[in-house]
Structures are given as structure tokens and as C-alpha cells.
Amino acid sequence: MKKRLLMLAIVPLLCIGIFIYIWQTSTSPVITYFEEDKVMNYHKTSTYLKLLSEESRDSYEIGWKSHSVSERELYLRQDVSLLFHNGRLRGVKSKWKENASTIKLKEKVTGEDSNYYQAITYHHGEVHYPDDRITSIQQMSYDQLYVIDSPNTALRSFKKAESDFEYEWKRLLRHTTEQQLAYSWNQLMEHFQVDKSSYRAVPLTALKRFNQEALPSFTPVQTNQIIGQLWEGLYKNYIIPLVTSKSKSETLTSYTPVILFDKQKTHLMVLYEINGEKKRLIQKYPAF
């Protein structure tokens, strides 16, 4: 009898737990592009990398931050930031808030040896109006940091080279990064049989330029929509799987995705891999 009563008590609790899990999963926010808001904007958006300290003779600590403030509280605010070193993924941070204007992301990561760090953040907000009309605002921010950790010199860092010593290290680290990414991207293009001459290739870490720069033959408003829908696809197909993979394994291998803009201006393609699995995302342009 006691066992039966215990089961009768446990089953409803299990059902409630399953319901809560499903509800939370199904209502997790996603980045959704809506028509660009003509009035609302950001007061501030930033991404910041800094060498904090030397942890030991073999390692050091990097500070990785992003910060965004909209002009007023919005129905939904969401930021996602990605950190790469020498072209390889180092970390992903994502945060969302309801009825908020400010989002801050802050993380410390440990590094070893000399590295070229790059971080890009996508800042997104949904603006809801009383007539059920929904618009959105978006902005990208970026930072980079060169860290020199050599047996022959003291640990140091810089963002822009200002001396012959720094220019030489910048050249070396960028060359190493570009070689790694060229190899990775060529493998992806060969795998998916992509004709390189038909596309304009842009690394994910270079997307910030489209805050001000329009895509060829597109207006700034059209560019804003293409980039917003690109991040919507990236979040769903690249960022969420990254977080899922990271929770299952301590090791995660991914390199900076390459965005291929079709020269015929009909679509874009994103090529990337997660733990050796090659992926392709194709997005057609809207009918402007």
C-alpha cells in the first residue's frame, strides 16, 4: 500500500517536471529579424578584449566583455558574442532579457602561447508596439587583441601595431590565422563543390563592416535585412548547436565560418564545421 501511495505521489511530480522542461525548451528565445525600426536605436554597443594577468609561466588570462544599451527598455533584448583565437573558436556567450535596455556579457579565458584574438558580438532587440506591430534593432561590435607570449620577451599585448616589433608579430599571427582558415574553408568548398569565383567571401569576424557599409547593389535598408536574417540563421544553425555540443563534451573544434555572398545577388551561403562535421547554410535574399 505504501509503495502504491508513493508511486501515486511521484508520477504527478514527474509529469509536472517533464511539462516544465518542455515548456522552457519550447519557449527559449531565438533571434528573429523584424522590419528595421525607424526610430529606436542603441545608445552604446561595444566588445572589448584585454590581457588581464599572467597566470603562470605557461598561461595568461584574457578578459572578454560586451555591453549594449538601447534607447529605452525593449520587449526583448538579446546579445550573442563569439571569441576566436588564430581562427579557432574559443568561446560563445549569449544572454537575453525581457523588458530591458542593457545587456552585459563578461568572461575570463585562459590562453597559452602567442595568439591573435578576435571577438564579434551581435546586439539585437525587439520593439513591440500597441497595435501588435513588431520591429527590431540590431548592431554589431568587434574587438581584436594580439598577445605575445614568447620565451625571449616579456608577456605583452596590443590592438594596433605601433612598432617594428609589433608589426612583425602582427604579420606572423595574421599569416598563421589566414593559413589555417584558408585550409579549413578550401576543404569546405571542395566538400560542397562550391565555385569560389561565383562568391564574395567574408569571414564571420569581419561582418561588423556592414553596420555602415552596404552590400554591392543593395541599399543600406536591404543590407540591414540581409545581415539580420543571416544572424537569425547563424543563431539557429551554428550558435545553438555549438552550445549543445559544448555541454556534451569538454572539447569543441570549430573555425571561423566563412560567409559567401553570391555575385549574382540571389543568396548567401555560410560554410562551417563543428567537431569535424561539415555544414552549409543557404539563405535566399528577400524579393526586394
Side-chain angles (χ1 to χ4, degrees), residues 143-154:
D143 198 18
Q144 63 183 22
L145 185 71
Y146 299 88
V147 176
I148 312 306
D149 184 16
S150 169
N152 302 320
T153 62

Side-chain angles (χ1 to χ4, degrees), residues 32-47:
T32 304
Y33 174 82
F34 293 97
E35 179 185 356
E36 181 181 2
D37 194 279
K38 301 299 190 295
V39 179
M40 192 61 53
N41 213 320
Y42 285 101
H43 274 311
K44 175 183 179 180
T45 59
S46 66
T47 297

Side-chain angles (χ1 to χ4, degrees), residues 132-272:
D132 293 330
R133 183 169 60 96
I134 303 175
T135 58
S136 63
I137 61 172
Q138 64 183 22
Q139 193 73 256
M140 291 172 284
S141 60
Y142 169 86
D143 198 18
Q144 63 183 22
L145 185 71
Y146 299 88
V147 176
I148 312 306
D149 184 16
S150 169
N152 302 320
T153 62
L155 179 67
R156 61 191 293 179
S157 68
F158 61 91
K159 293 179 183 291
K160 293 183 180 180
E162 296 181 351
S163 65
D164 291 342
F165 175 84
E166 290 178 348
Y167 274 112
E168 180 58 26
W169 271 103
K170 173 184 175 180
R171 185 198 65 78
L172 176 63
L173 291 174
R174 287 182 72 101
H175 179 69
T176 301
T177 299
E178 289 164 3
Q179 276 193 320
Q180 174 60 67
L181 291 179
Y183 176 76
S184 173
W185 295 346
N186 283 333
Q187 280 195 320
L188 287 165
M189 290 183 192
E190 289 176 7
H191 179 79
F192 291 110
Q193 298 180 332
V194 175
D195 179 8
K196 298 180 186 179
S197 64
S198 298
Y199 294 90
R200 177 191 179 196
V202 177
L204 172 65
T205 47
L207 285 178
K208 179 182 176 289
R209 72 179 67 170
F210 298 112
N211 279 343
Q212 291 85 26
E213 177 186 329
L215 288 164
S217 300
F218 289 102
T219 68
V221 172
Q222 291 170 338
T223 299
N224 188 74
Q225 181 172 348
I226 290 170
I227 297 300
Q229 291 174 337
L230 165 61
W231 275 102
E232 180 179 338
L234 282 169
Y235 187 81
K236 178 181 178 181
N237 296 279
Y238 180 62
I239 293 165
I240 290 179
L242 280 177
V243 175
T244 303
S245 297
K246 189 175 180 181
S247 65
K248 293 180 179 179
S249 172
E250 292 182 0
T251 58
L252 178 64
T253 303
S254 184
Y255 296 94
T256 307
V258 60
I259 319 299
L260 302 175
F261 294 96
D262 173 37
K263 291 181 180 179
Q264 298 301 315
K265 305 172 183 65
T266 63
H267 69 280
L268 63 80
M269 187 185 306
V270 185
L271 302 182
Y272 60 96

